[in-house]
Every structure is written in C-alpha cells, then in structure tokens.
Amino acid sequence: MSERGNRPLDLLEASVGTEVTVHLKGGEVYEGLLAGYDQHMNLVVEEGEDTTIIRGDNVVSIRP
Amino acid sequence: MSERGNRPLDLLEASVGTEVTVHLKGGEVYEGLLAGYDQHMNLVVEEGEDTTIIRGDNVVSIRP
Amino acid sequence: MSERGNRPLDLLEASVGTEVTVHLKGGEVYEGLLAGYDQHMNLVVEEGEDTTIIRGDNVVSIRP
Amino acid sequence: MSERGNRPLDLLEASVGTEVTVHLKGGEVYEGLLAGYDQHMNLVVEEGEDTTIIRGDNVVSIRP
Amino acid sequence: MSERGNRPLDLLEASVGTEVTVHLKGGEVYEGLLAGYDQHMNLVVEEGEDTTIIRGDNVVSIRP
Amino acid sequence: MSERGNRPLDLLEASVGTEVTVHLKGGEVYEGLLAGYDQHMNLVVEEGEDTTIIRGDNVVSIRP
Amino acid sequence: MSERGNRPLDLLEASVGTEVTVHLKGGEVYEGLLAGYDQHMNLVVEEGEDTTIIRGDNVVSIRP
C-alpha cells in the first residue's frame, strides 16, 4: 500500500517536542509537550512539572 | 480473496487531499481535508488552521 | 476447516454492485449500493450521490 | 491441545442447513436457516426471503 | 513460562461432560453439561434438550 | 526490552497456591486460592468448595 | 520507525522502583511504588503493605 500524504504516525513523529492537545475517550483533555509516543499511540505528555504516560487505546485525537 | 469493486482503503487513498466528513463513535464530526491515513484508519484531517490526528478505532464512517 | 454453505465473505463478494441494508452498532442504517468491502468488513456504500466508507467494527449486519 | 467433546465450530459446521436461533449483544434475535459461517463466527442466516450477514463480534449465542 | 497449578484451559478440558454454570457479561446464566469448548473459551452447553453455542468473548466465569 | 522489577506474570506465578482477591470489571470480587492462570490472565480461583474459571479480559486487578 | 523522544515503555522502565499514580478506566486510582510492568502495561503497584497486579487494558494513565 502506498499511503499518500502525511501518515498519522509520521505527523506524530514530527510533533515530538512540540505542544499538543490530546482528547481521551473518557473526556479527559491533556495539553502539553509531546515527549514521546509509540506505534500503539501510547503517549508521553508533559504538562509543566507533570509527566503522564497515556495508554494508546484511550486516545480519540491528538492536535499538534 | 478477490475483492471486487472499490476497496475501502483504496477509496481512502483516492480521497487524500480532498474534503471528507468523518463521524466518530463519540458523536464528534470532523469536516476537512484528508491529509493522510494508514491501514488502521488512523486519519489526519485538516480543518482550516487545525490539524487533527484521529485514532482509527474511534471512526464510524468517512464520507469523501 | 471445511466451511460448508455460503461463507459470509463470499456472500459479501457476491453482493458487490447490488443494493444492501447495513445496520451499525450505534443504530445507524445505510441503504445503498455495496461498492466495495474488505476482510474486516470495512464497507463502501453508495446512497445516491453520497459514498460512505464504514469501518467494519461498527457493523452489526448486512442484508443483501 | 486435545479438545474433547464437540468443539463449538464443529457444531456450527454441523448446523449449516438447519434452523438456528441467534442472539446478539444488542438484544436482536434471528431465527432462520444457518446458510454459512466462518471462524470468526460471522454468520449467514436466512429468514424466509431475507438473508442476513451478521458480523461475528455481535454474537452472544447460537442455538441449533 | 512455566505455569504452575491448574491452567484454566486444562480445567475446562477436564470439565467436558460434566455440569457447569456459565455467567455471561450480559447477565445471562447457563447451567448444563459442558459439551465442548475451544481456546477462545467458545463453549457448547447442553441444558436438557437445548444445546447452545456461546461465543467466548461473552464469558465472565465458568464454574465446574 | 529488559523489564526490571517484578513482572506481573511472574508475581502471578509466585501467587499460585496462595490467597488472592480478584476484582472484575462487572464489580464482582473473588477471594480464594489462586489455583492456576495463563498468559491471558485467565484464572482459576478456589473459594472453599467452589472452583471458578475467570476469563482474563474481565479482570481489573489481582491482589496476592 | 525511528521514534524520537522518550518512548512510553522506556519511561515506564525508568519509573520502576519509584512512586506512580495510576488511573483506571473504572475511575480507580492507585498511588504507590511501581514494582513491575510488561509490554501490555500490566502493572504491579505496591501501596504500603498491599501489592496489586493491574491488567493493562484497564489503564488510562500512569504519572511517574
């Protein structure tokens, strides 16, 4: 499969080190620096002093 | 398996760079340019200035 | 495994290009031409001018 | 693993061409001829004139 | 991994042909003879005249 | 991946033959002897005379 | 895929032996020492005298 355009994980890769807004299925919203991710969309988000690991299956959307 | 007709991911591929309407399980609707996708139906949608990565398991339908 | 009878995906294959009624878990109903499918039961349904890609995990039933 | 007794898919195989009652997670009940199945418990059920493909992940039980 | 004790599927194997009580996620309870199973915990339960195939992902517990 | 510390399944292995408290997603609580488990966290719990096989996907937590 | 930054499981690895706050989908919160984990995000958390094995699919977030 030749996937044109910006693949979702490529955009996630490009967003490491920048501010993102993450919406979860439970309604929670995280706004902070994207410090890391993996192919399951597990995320590491830094909000000021707080670092949070989010399990990917909770993620609805990520806005770089 | 010989899948006749337009396979869903082929249609998604053909829709990159065009306007789409995406409905999510939580009721959210995104209308914008489909900037990218992958085989899980993870999507990148651009609404004006805003770019959103949507995790595929939230997607109900995509209307090109 | 020797699966007798009409296997579900074979019937889906035979239904491409014909009218189908699709029920989704969220209660939505799509009636239109089955334009394509894949082994996950991702579907492409055409209702008049509108074409919709449906992610297979939302599907309850398809009535050819 | 040596599975004794009647394995579920073997019984399903033996039920092709006979009347079955299918209960789905959403509460729907289908009563008709089992016309086909696959290893995901995707089913084809014929009720009189109507043929329905049921996606296996909706199935609770099948009573031959 | 060396799993000590009675592994769940071994106990299920040993229970074929005996009476079991099965609780499902939807609250249904089946009491009958365990006629068969597979590694997904798909089950065949016989209650008097009635035989039921239960899709494993609905199962909460099985009490031999 | 070098996983430091006590891996969850190693602790489960070490708990076979001892008393555990198991919480399920549906709110049920089992207190008894852990008689067996497998890598899906399917469990066998003995409460006095009663032995129960629990399907792993229902498990929230296990307290040795 | 070259994943930049701190991958979620690397951060989890680095957090073994330190205090973490774990939020589950059911609303439960665990605060204690992270004693172990695996790649499914199954966790072992020690709160004072109590040790708990948490099945990974219940986890929303882990805050080191």
Side-chain angles (χ1 to χ4, degrees):
Chain A
M1 183 185 308
S2 71
E3 289 150 356
R4 292 189 302 162
N6 296 312
R7 286 181 297 180
L9 290 181
D10 288 349
L11 181 52
L12 209 49
E13 172 81 14
S15 303
V16 171
T18 71
E19 295 289 319
V20 295
T21 304
V22 180
H23 285 81
L24 301 193
K25 288 173 185 166
E28 304 94 321
V29 180
Y30 288 84
E31 298 194 46
L33 199 77
L34 181 65
Y37 76 98
D38 63 25
Q39 82 275 17
H40 304 294
M41 289 205 191
N42 295 323
L43 305 175
V44 180
V45 178
E46 296 178 359
E47 300 178 290
E49 297 290 296
D50 293 325
T51 298
T52 306
I53 301 168
I54 298 169
R55 199 174 190 268
D57 69 323
N58 297 283
V59 172
V60 176
S61 66
I62 305 160
R63 187 165 288 184
Chain B
M1 183 185 307
S2 72
E3 289 149 355
R4 293 190 302 162
N6 296 312
R7 286 181 298 180
L9 290 180
D10 288 349
L11 181 52
L12 209 48
E13 172 80 14
S15 303
V16 171
T18 71
E19 295 289 319
V20 296
T21 304
V22 180
H23 285 81
L24 301 193
K25 288 173 184 164
E28 304 93 322
V29 180
Y30 288 83
E31 299 194 46
L33 200 76
L34 181 65
Y37 76 98
D38 63 25
Q39 80 276 18
H40 304 293
M41 289 206 190
N42 295 322
L43 305 174
V44 180
V45 178
E46 296 178 358
E47 299 178 290
E49 297 289 296
D50 292 324
T51 298
T52 307
I53 302 168
I54 298 169
R55 199 174 190 267
D57 68 323
N58 297 284
V59 172
V60 176
S61 66
I62 305 159
R63 186 165 288 184
Chain C
M1 183 184 307
S2 72
E3 290 150 356
R4 292 190 302 163
N6 296 312
R7 286 182 298 181
L9 290 180
D10 288 349
L11 180 52
L12 210 48
E13 172 80 13
S15 303
V16 171
T18 71
E19 294 289 319
V20 296
T21 304
V22 180
H23 285 81
L24 301 194
K25 287 174 185 165
E28 304 92 323
V29 180
Y30 288 84
E31 299 194 46
L33 200 78
L34 181 65
Y37 76 98
D38 63 24
Q39 79 276 18
H40 303 294
M41 289 206 190
N42 295 323
L43 305 175
V44 181
V45 178
E46 296 177 358
E47 300 178 290
E49 297 290 295
D50 292 325
T51 298
T52 307
I53 301 168
I54 299 169
R55 199 174 190 267
D57 69 323
N58 297 284
V59 172
V60 176
S61 66
I62 305 160
R63 186 165 289 185
Chain D
M1 184 185 308
S2 71
E3 289 149 356
R4 293 189 303 162
N6 295 312
R7 286 181 299 180
L9 290 180
D10 288 348
L11 180 53
L12 210 48
E13 173 80 14
S15 302
V16 171
T18 71
E19 295 288 319
V20 296
T21 304
V22 180
H23 285 81
L24 300 193
K25 288 174 184 165
E28 304 93 322
V29 181
Y30 289 84
E31 299 194 47
L33 200 77
L34 181 66
Y37 76 98
D38 65 23
Q39 80 276 17
H40 303 294
M41 289 206 191
N42 295 323
L43 305 176
V44 181
V45 178
E46 296 177 359
E47 300 177 291
E49 298 289 296
D50 292 325
T51 298
T52 307
I53 301 168
I54 299 169
R55 198 172 190 270
D57 69 322
N58 297 283
V59 173
V60 176
S61 66
I62 305 160
R63 186 165 291 184
Chain E
M1 184 185 309
S2 71
E3 289 150 356
R4 292 189 302 162
N6 295 311
R7 285 182 299 181
L9 290 181
D10 288 348
L11 181 52
L12 209 49
E13 172 80 14
S15 303
V16 172
T18 71
E19 295 288 320
V20 295
T21 303
V22 180
H23 285 81
L24 301 193
K25 287 174 184 165
E28 304 93 321
V29 181
Y30 288 84
E31 299 194 45
L33 200 77
L34 181 66
Y37 76 98
D38 63 24
Q39 81 276 17
H40 302 295
M41 289 207 191
N42 295 323
L43 304 175
V44 181
V45 178
E46 296 177 359
E47 299 177 292
E49 297 289 295
D50 293 325
T51 298
T52 307
I53 301 167
I54 299 168
R55 198 172 190 269
D57 69 322
N58 298 282
V59 173
V60 176
S61 66
I62 305 160
R63 186 165 290 183
Chain F
M1 184 185 310
S2 71
E3 289 150 355
R4 292 189 303 161
N6 296 311
R7 286 182 299 180
L9 290 181
D10 288 349
L11 181 51
L12 209 49
E13 172 81 14
S15 302
V16 172
T18 71
E19 296 288 320
V20 296
T21 302
V22 180
H23 285 81
L24 301 193
K25 287 173 184 165
E28 304 94 321
V29 181
Y30 289 84
E31 299 194 45
L33 200 77
L34 181 66
Y37 76 98
D38 63 24
Q39 81 276 17
H40 303 293
M41 289 207 191
N42 295 323
L43 304 176
V44 181
V45 178
E46 296 177 358
E47 299 177 291
E49 297 289 296
D50 293 325
T51 298
T52 306
I53 301 167
I54 299 168
R55 198 172 190 270
D57 69 322
N58 298 282
V59 172
V60 176
S61 66
I62 306 161
R63 186 164 289 184
Chain G
M1 183 184 309
S2 70
E3 290 151 355
R4 292 189 303 163
N6 296 312
R7 286 182 298 181
L9 291 180
D10 288 349
L11 181 52
L12 208 49
E13 172 81 14
S15 302
V16 172
T18 71
E19 295 289 319
V20 295
T21 304
V22 180
H23 285 80
L24 302 193
K25 288 172 185 167
E28 305 93 322
V29 180
Y30 289 84
E31 298 194 46
L33 199 77
L34 181 65
Y37 76 99
D38 63 25
Q39 81 276 17
H40 303 294
M41 288 206 191
N42 295 322
L43 304 175
V44 181
V45 178
E46 295 177 359
E47 300 178 290
E49 297 289 295
D50 292 326
T51 298
T52 306
I53 301 167
I54 298 169
R55 198 172 190 269
D57 69 322
N58 298 283
V59 172
V60 176
S61 66
I62 305 160
R63 187 164 288 184

